[in-house]
Amino acid sequence: GHTGAIYSVQYAPNRNVVASASFDCTVRLWDIDEQKQVSCLEGHQLSVFDVTWRADGELLGTASLDRTCVLWDVKQEKEVTRFQCSGLAQCIRFSTQAPHISFASDSTGKIYILDSRSPETRNYLDNGTSMVNTLHCFEDEVRLASGDMNGDIKVWDVRNGHFIRLFESKPNSFAISDISVIKIEDSDIEYMAVNSYDNVLRLYRDAHDSSRSEPWVVREIRGHKNRNWPIKNAFFNN
């Protein structure tokens, strides 16, 4: 169905539907059982770089190179809220607890805290001049992880705008392309899976532990041989 490269694919949280974002400026929904397209969302003027679902599966968020992020009503197949960014929108994620809040990043290094009740207000965390490629919202609603073009991973306290942990890039570091986090049930153990432009998937344990001088790398998974494009996305499941 798409006529351009597909850059992000996400399963709906409560039904067997997949959303895909493409360089053809559209977002399409696919019924996996029937193996067919069920919806095409149009409204972005340039390539759609990222797509994400709200936890209830009723809203879809998209980030586009047209410098906007859009929230879509899936059932009615229409745009409900549009946010303007300063640069090319790279990533969008919904809050885990507040259904009206989402987070987005752009090419200027801003991480926006977006509120659908007041879309004209653009509060943001400042990552300097380094473009933020990926975000992850922790379930505690206080922390937000970001990965950027410098190879830095920051864990932000969204209440005060400060980052509470920095996995600092080294000389010749490669950009971070994706972050996925899982917490082991009935424990405080967290694992953070990180993708990098160096074709290595790294798995960290207890990224929130500020007592450690260096992040605890428990696995480095190698095998991809990309030359011009990074590993865009992976997920970790216990």
Side-chain angles (χ1 to χ4, degrees), residues 100-140:
H100 55 277
I101 297 295
S102 54
F103 301 91
S105 62
D106 72 9
S107 57
T108 68
K110 293 183 175 68
I111 302 171
Y112 298 95
I113 304 172
L114 306 173
D115 190 333
S116 60
R117 299 168 301 182
S118 55
E120 299 302 322
T121 303
R122 294 185 301 164
N123 297 317
Y124 64 88
L125 310 172
D126 190 356
N127 194 55
T129 59
S130 182
M131 181 169 70
V132 176
N133 295 325
T134 183
L135 299 168
H136 176 83
C137 302
F138 289 87
E139 292 186 359
D140 57 22

Side-chain angles (χ1 to χ4, degrees), residues 9 18-19 38 59 67 78 81 90 99 137 147-148 167 204 213 221:
V9 177
V18 158
V38 294
L59 280 187
R67 299 177 181 244
K78 69 176 185 178
T81 309
Q90 299 292 310
C137 302
D148 65 27
F167 294 171
Y204 299 94
S213 58
I221 303 172

Side-chain angles (χ1 to χ4, degrees), residues 141-184:
E141 196 62 17
V142 173
R143 295 172 299 154
L144 181 73
S146 68
D148 65 27
M149 288 297 292
N150 286 340
D152 289 341
I153 303 171
K154 298 177 182 177
V155 181
W156 302 80
D157 187 326
V158 297
R159 298 167 299 183
N160 55 29
H162 300 147
F163 52 83
I164 56 178
R165 179 66 192 236
L166 168 63
F167 294 171
E168 198 164 6
S169 59
K170 303 295 190 292
N172 302 316
S173 290
F174 289 85
I176 304 301
S177 56
D178 191 67
I179 295 173
S180 175
V181 178
I182 187 171
K183 184 175 182 179
I184 304 302

